[in-house]
Amino acid sequence: MRPNTVKICGITRTTDARACLKFGADALGFIFHPTSPRNLTLDKFRGLFAGLDFGKCRKVAVAVSPDISRVEQLIEAGFDKFQFHFSPDISEEKISQWSSMIGRENLWLAPRLESSIPLPDYFLKYAKVFLIDAYSDKSYGGTGKLADWEKFAELKEEHPEHQWFLAGGLGPENLADALSRLRPDGVDLNSGVEKNPGIKDTQKLSEVFSKLI
């Protein structure tokens, strides 16, 4: 069963973007976070992808707790969706600002939550989409580890009015199981379809999309 959104994240090369578009990706993620091995600058993003026809595929800006000026830059760059990772101690005011600037329907919230920490209820009013990734106290994603599938299922059941995207170590070997067990509204693949950080593996991409029927 194919979810509504299949996103390939951590795109750093035009050739990889073209491959993902050919296979039928619904969204491509571009990471703007200096400590990520898949980090891009806005200038590099424009240089690599300005002439690419994305068609109906959505361009997603991925950032960590961006300030207002950064959000303005990402909006001006023409992204369709905005996936923001953050720690749970973030101020509600900041999330409210993101939502007001971008629009609730375009904001994808990706809180870095330990399994034992519940999702704060006030997050829910600021975004329609929530992305659940594997928890790490050292990074905000791209670890290759599986997310807490049990917690994901609980959140999806508790808040069916929202869309729940699953990330964390997804690839050809476990995607079908994740889709069957969790029925996520979206999946976000990154390290599980790579040769090296930021370098996608065409064979793995092909295997992944062959399972999305």
Side-chain angles (χ1 to χ4, degrees):
M1 177 180 177
R2 183 182 178 119
N4 293 331
T5 299
V6 177
K7 171 174 169 277
I8 308 299
C9 198
I11 300 294
T12 64
R13 304 192 304 171
T14 309
T15 53
D16 291 338
R18 287 199 180 99
C20 292
L21 292 171
K22 180 181 178 181
F23 285 125
D26 302 299
L28 297 183
F30 303 90
I31 296 174
F32 301 94
H33 184 51
T35 62
S36 170
R38 305 168 184 88
N39 178 59
L40 292 174
T41 64
L42 279 172
D43 285 343
K44 187 172 184 180
F45 167 79
R46 294 187 185 99
L48 288 172
F49 306 106
L52 194 61
D53 182 6
F54 285 85
K56 295 181 179 180
C57 183
R58 290 160 288 177
K59 301 186 296 294
V60 183
V62 181
V64 175
S65 297
D67 59 25
I68 298 306
S69 63
R70 188 58 163 171
V71 176
E72 290 173 343
Q73 291 171 353
L74 295 172
I75 293 172
E76 291 171 2
F79 287 97
D80 304 299
K81 303 293 180 181
F82 302 81
Q83 177 182 316
F84 293 163
H85 294 249
F86 56 94
S87 297
D89 59 356
I90 192 173
S91 71
E92 182 175 358
E93 179 184 7
K94 191 167 190 177
I95 297 181
S96 176
Q97 288 176 323
W98 293 342
S99 186
S100 296
M101 294 175 69
I102 294 168
R104 182 175 179 270
E105 68 282 2
N106 296 321
L107 178 60
W108 297 0
L109 290 179
R112 182 168 69 176
L113 290 175
E114 295 183 68
S115 297
S116 59
I117 298 178
L119 182 77
D121 288 340
Y122 75 84
F123 287 176
L124 297 168
K125 63 183 177 181
Y126 294 116
K128 185 176 181 180
V129 171
F130 283 82
L131 184 140
I132 304 301
D133 203 341
Y135 173 78
S136 169
D137 60 358
K138 297 179 180 179
S139 68
Y140 286 86
T143 64
K145 297 180 180 179
L146 292 183
D148 184 335
W149 286 14
E150 183 177 346
K151 180 167 186 172
F152 180 91
E154 291 173 356
L155 288 169
K156 190 173 185 296
E157 182 177 2
E158 291 170 1
H159 307 286
E161 70 281 4
H162 288 73
Q163 293 183 22
W164 297 92
F165 289 10
L166 181 66
L170 296 175
E173 71 285 352
N174 59 23
L175 181 61
D177 187 32
L179 295 177
S180 175
R181 290 172 56 184
L182 302 175
R183 297 192 178 277
D185 300 296
V187 289
D188 189 334
L189 297 98
N190 191 344
S191 60
V193 290
E194 288 184 330
K195 296 178 181 178
N196 295 299
I199 308 299
K200 302 309 179 194
D201 186 317
T202 304
Q203 180 59 39
K204 290 181 179 179
L205 287 169
S206 177
E207 291 176 24
V208 159
F209 281 93
S210 71
K211 300 177 186 298
L212 297 170
I213 302 173

